[in-house]
Amino acid sequence: MDLRAELLKSIWYAFTALDVEKSGKVSKSQLKVLSHNLYTVLCIPHDPVALEEHFRDDDDGPVSSQGYMPYLNKYILDKVEEGAFVKENFDELCWTLTAKKNYKPDRNGNSVVSHQDAFKLWCLFNFLSEDKYPLVMVPDEVEYLLKKICTAMNVELNSCELDDYLSQEPQGQGGLTVWQFLDMVNSGRFLRGIEQEAVSMAVEEVYQEVIEDPGADPHVSRAQGYLWKKGQLRRNWSERWFTLKPSALSYYMSEERKEKKGSITLDKHCCVEVLPDRDGKRCMFCVKTTSRTYEMSASDTRQRQEWTLAIQTAIRLQAEGKKSLHKDLKQKRREQREQREQRKAAKEEETQRLKQLQEEKERKLQELELLKEAQRQAEILLQEEEQRRRQQHEEMQRTLEIQLREAEQARASMQAEMVLKEAEAERQRKRILELEEMQERLQEALQQEVKARQDEESVRYAQARLLAEEEEKLKQLMKLKEEQEEYIIKTQLEKQVLKQEMENKNKCLEEAQKQLEEVRVNRQRVDQDVMAAQRKLRQASTNVKHWNVQMNRLMHPIGPGEKRTNMSGGGFAGYQPLLSQRDSSFK
């Protein structure tokens, strides 16, 4: 945090204090007075022409903070020189303006801190607050500051009680404003039982360490005080009041610091050395610069150690390009907070990612359950189809058995009729009637045979259709199996627990394939039965032809002395075209 940022924080409080209506704007006359006071405390040459020109009376009305910033930067902040003014006087001016409006101590005088201590706490708050407006101090910095004050009083801060207090505040988790912080300190909740004088001394010690001596080590509580200094010309020893700044070690006639006697500029080329006792002085040390060596004497060894350590720390900070160790520590604490927030965000992101993975896992499990259900439905449909085919095969087998029995009965009846006609050859008329009856029976047998052929063709067509459906179901089953195998391969890394279930499914598929093979064997067996029935039908056709020949012979009995000749024209000769037509239709 550079000097400009430090000054802007205090000026921001002064500007907001002048904004009575809280509209974000301040009247030009008030800004004119504020600018004049800033010129004075910052030791900047007054520019009355620019001041009058910028804040002249016109119709523009009040000025916002953005409208005031160009003038503030150009005519005030750009001209500020570090070390040319007393920072404490500047802070007191801004504190006076803002405290009148915002600071409300206990009217009964029961406040833990005095008005002057409240000012120092306000300065400490500005130093530790975030570089964002409105200014707030995050809970970690609040705890850090309270711990330093409690440590200075040799008491321990109750961190749990502080966390409870911050959690009860509406904006405590995001940070406290300076007025909330001062109210918290004045409430005595964390400093109960401690006298106001002890609190004041602790605040003064922390203020001197952080604000007045920003180059001192946090564990070195003394970076100002009386030391004996050896003169350069007269070489005599004089007691001086020394104060350590970030880049200089200044010394005065007394602790009032009204008359400054000199200053030692500290840079990376300086060093501190401990000297042996001489000239009646003890606990001596010197500060060496590129142009001169300054010899000093402390009152005791502890004081010398504290001063040498503090000056060495300031020199180290100058060499590293840092003006304050406390600023460096503050920056490190801020970086640690940012790292914690980043880790927290990463953890939340990881939790969200795990949640998404869990949802994806559940979704895939649901999809797998759907696939299982689809497979079960397919197996049920396959079983139903297999049962229906078996019923059709059994029905077709029963039909063929009935037809075979009917054909055997027809053959037996025809044989009986042939015997009767041979026995009754003498009775031609009766024989003709019997032949006509036989003709009708043959026609019926022919019709039955034609019907059997048609039934056979329909059975073959149905069987072919069933085979096509069976192959289609088999393809769907194989496709389902391939999809299932691909899905298993894709998710096998994440679904090891499902491996056994998938093996069971494969076993079920193998059993289904075995059952399908059995169905194929049964189909082949049925085909063989159909071929046997066809052979029987062909045998029956041959027998019918033989019966026609015999009947033709019976129509023309052989007389005494006559030779047997082939009959043509009468009897069963008229049935030959029908039989030929029937045989050609079945071929």
Side-chain angles (χ1 to χ4, degrees):
M1 183 171 58
D2 57 3
L3 180 61
R4 180 185 292 264
E6 293 180 7
L7 297 178
L8 278 176
K9 286 185 177 182
S10 299
I11 295 174
W12 177 79
Y13 280 108
F15 185 90
T16 54
L18 297 176
D19 182 15
V20 180
E21 298 179 357
K22 297 183 179 180
S23 61
K25 296 182 178 181
V26 178
S27 64
K28 292 183 178 181
S29 59
Q30 290 177 316
L31 290 178
K32 186 176 180 181
V33 174
L34 174 62
S35 301
H36 188 274
N37 290 328
L38 291 176
Y39 275 121
T40 302
V41 296
L42 294 175
C43 300
I44 300 173
H46 289 260
D47 191 351
V49 177
L51 187 65
E52 296 294 336
E53 178 67 22
H54 192 82
F55 296 105
R56 67 177 183 273
D57 295 332
D58 51 24
D59 297 333
D60 292 341
V63 179
S64 64
S65 59
Q66 290 82 2
Y68 183 57
M69 282 303 296
Y71 175 84
L72 183 64
N73 287 323
K74 181 177 180 181
Y75 294 100
I76 298 178
L77 297 181
D78 289 347
K79 298 179 180 180
V80 173
E81 295 181 1
E82 187 172 0
F85 66 98
V86 180
K87 177 70 163 48
E88 185 175 356
N89 296 337
F90 168 78
D91 290 334
E92 286 181 352
L93 169 66
C94 298
W95 162 255
T96 302
L97 291 174
T98 189
K100 290 180 180 179
K101 176 182 177 183
N102 300 300
Y103 182 53
K104 299 176 181 179
D106 192 344
R107 295 180 180 179
N108 297 326
N110 297 325
S111 299
V112 176
V113 295
S114 63
H115 190 81
Q116 185 63 23
D117 293 335
F119 161 69
K120 295 175 181 178
L121 290 174
W122 178 77
C123 294
L124 291 170
F125 181 94
N126 289 343
F127 180 81
L128 297 174
S129 63
E130 297 297 301
D131 298 333
K132 295 183 293 185
Y133 295 91
L135 296 174
V136 294
M137 187 161 56
V138 296
D140 290 345
E141 296 297 324
V142 173
E143 184 178 3
Y144 171 78
L145 179 56
L146 290 177
K147 280 185 177 180
K148 288 192 72 65
I149 295 175
C150 292
T151 302
M153 295 184 295
N154 294 324
V155 296
E156 185 177 356
L157 175 67
N158 191 342
S159 300
C160 296
E161 189 174 359
L162 176 61
D163 294 338
D164 294 339
Y165 179 85
L166 294 176
S167 62
Q168 293 174 3
E169 288 291 327
Q171 299 177 349
Q173 298 298 324
L176 297 178
T177 64
V178 65
W179 313 118
Q180 292 173 336
F181 175 72
L182 292 176
D183 291 341
M184 179 184 69
V185 175
N186 279 324
S187 66
R189 184 170 182 176
F190 305 102
L191 302 175
R192 62 172 60 95
I194 301 176
E195 297 180 356
Q196 184 178 11
E197 183 178 357
V199 175
S200 179
M201 292 176 63
V203 171
E204 175 66 21
E205 182 176 340
V206 177
Y207 177 81
Q208 291 295 330
E209 177 186 337
V210 178
I211 304 299
E212 289 294 328
D213 297 325
D217 189 277
H219 303 290
V220 179
S221 61
R222 192 171 185 182
Q224 63 178 354
Y226 282 106
L227 292 173
W228 288 90
K229 175 184 170 296
K230 188 175 183 179
Q232 181 180 11
L233 299 178
R234 299 174 60 183
R235 310 302 292 174
N236 60 332
W237 290 89
S238 304
E239 190 176 29
R240 298 286 183 258
W241 177 267
F242 282 82
T243 59
L244 180 62
K245 297 294 182 180
S247 59
L249 178 62
S250 303
Y251 48 95
Y252 303 84
M253 283 293 295
S254 64
E255 58 184 315
E256 285 80 10
R257 296 187 294 182
K258 294 181 179 180
E259 183 180 354
K260 185 176 182 180
K261 301 300 292 183
S263 178
I264 304 173
T265 303
L266 301 178
D267 55 28
K268 62 182 180 179
H269 303 292
C270 298
C271 65
V272 181
E273 294 181 0
V274 177
L275 300 177
D277 297 342
R278 66 172 183 269
D279 299 336
K281 296 295 180 182
R282 54 190 298 273
C283 301
M284 294 179 60
F285 66 95
C286 67
V287 178
K288 291 184 178 181
T289 65
T290 55
S291 58
R292 181 181 169 185
T293 299
Y294 297 86
E295 296 183 8
M296 286 162 278
S297 173
S299 59
D300 52 32
T301 305
R302 180 181 177 182
Q303 185 186 28
R304 178 178 66 179
Q305 183 179 1
E306 291 175 353
W307 272 106
T308 54
L309 182 60
I311 297 172
Q312 287 174 351
T313 302
I315 294 173
R316 179 175 58 82
L317 292 175
Q318 287 293 322
E320 295 176 356
K322 301 174 182 178
K323 296 184 178 180
S324 172
L325 181 60
H326 285 284
K327 294 177 182 178
D328 186 34
L329 295 174
K330 175 188 173 184
Q331 183 64 28
K332 289 181 179 179
R333 292 195 299 273
R334 181 177 298 176
E335 292 175 356
Q336 291 176 355
R337 288 197 300 272
E338 293 176 353
Q339 290 176 359
R340 287 198 302 269
E341 292 175 357
Q342 291 175 358
R343 288 194 296 268
K344 182 178 179 181
K347 186 176 181 180
E348 292 177 354
E349 183 179 356
E350 181 68 18
T351 304
Q352 186 67 19
R353 188 178 68 83
L354 292 176
K355 183 178 179 181
Q356 293 176 355
L357 289 176
Q358 184 66 22
E359 293 176 354
E360 183 69 16
K361 180 180 179 180
E362 294 177 356
R363 185 180 63 80
K364 289 183 178 179
L365 289 175
Q366 293 177 357
E367 292 178 355
L368 186 60
E369 290 296 331
L370 293 176
L371 288 175
K372 290 181 182 178
E373 184 65 24
Q375 184 179 3
R376 287 194 293 269
Q377 294 294 334
E379 291 176 354
I380 293 173
L381 292 175
L382 186 61
Q383 292 176 359
E384 293 178 353
E385 184 67 20
E386 181 66 22
Q387 186 177 3
R388 187 175 62 81
R389 284 200 300 270
R390 288 179 181 176
Q391 293 177 356
Q392 289 179 353
H393 290 163
E394 291 176 357
E395 184 178 357
M396 184 171 59
Q397 186 176 2
R398 288 194 297 270
T399 304
L400 291 174
E401 290 176 355
I402 292 172
Q403 291 176 357
L404 288 174
R405 285 196 299 269
E406 290 177 353
E408 290 177 356
Q409 291 175 1
R411 184 172 66 251
S413 64
M414 285 189 294
Q415 288 177 355
E417 289 175 359
M418 288 173 64
V419 172
L420 290 174
K421 288 184 183 299
E422 289 177 356
E424 297 177 357
E426 298 174 353
R427 300 177 66 177
Q428 295 295 332
R429 184 177 293 178
K430 186 177 179 179
R431 191 174 297 169
I432 292 171
L433 293 174
E434 291 176 354
L435 289 173
E436 290 177 354
E437 184 179 359
M438 183 64 67
Q439 180 181 1
E440 291 177 358
R441 292 180 178 179
L442 287 172
Q443 287 179 351
E444 291 177 359
L446 181 61
Q447 291 177 357
Q448 290 178 358
E449 185 177 1
V450 171
K451 184 177 180 182
R453 294 284 186 179
Q454 292 177 352
D455 291 341
E456 181 183 359
E457 291 295 330
S458 63
V459 168
R460 286 181 178 178
Y461 176 77
Q463 187 177 10
R465 182 174 57 80
L466 290 176
L467 289 175
E469 293 178 356
E470 183 179 353
E471 291 178 357
E472 184 64 21
K473 294 293 183 180
L474 180 59
K475 290 180 180 179
Q476 293 179 359
L477 186 60
M478 294 303 291
K479 183 177 180 180
L480 181 60
K481 180 180 178 182
E482 292 174 358
E483 292 177 355
Q484 188 177 10
E485 289 177 353
E486 292 175 358
Y487 182 79
I488 292 173
I489 293 173
K490 186 194 298 182
T491 60
Q492 62 182 356
L493 294 178
E494 301 176 356
K495 310 299 178 185
Q496 292 297 331
V497 294
L498 301 177
K499 182 178 180 180
Q500 186 62 34
E501 295 181 4
M502 299 311 297
E503 290 177 356
N504 294 335
K505 290 184 180 9
N506 291 332
K507 290 180 181 180
C508 294
L509 288 175
E510 291 175 359
E511 292 176 359
Q513 289 179 353
K514 290 179 181 179
Q515 293 177 2
L516 184 61
E517 290 296 331
E518 292 176 358
V519 171
R520 290 179 179 174
V521 172
N522 293 333
R523 180 176 58 78
Q524 292 178 0
R525 190 182 297 113
V526 171
D527 291 341
Q528 292 176 1
D529 294 340
V530 172
M531 292 176 65
Q534 290 177 355
R535 286 195 300 270
K536 291 179 181 180
L537 287 175
R538 285 195 295 272
Q539 185 66 31
S541 177
T542 304
N543 293 334
V544 170
K545 291 180 181 179
H546 178 69
W547 294 338
N548 286 334
V549 174
Q550 296 296 329
M551 293 303 296
N552 286 333
R553 290 177 181 177
L554 292 175
M555 290 296 295
H556 299 281
I558 303 173
E562 293 182 359
K563 296 182 179 179
R564 182 177 293 178
T565 60
N566 292 330
M567 301 300 294
S568 62
F572 283 90
Y575 298 118
Q576 291 294 332
L578 293 173
L579 294 173
S580 301
Q581 182 179 4
R582 181 195 63 183
D583 294 336
S584 62
S585 64
F586 289 135
K587 290 182 180 180

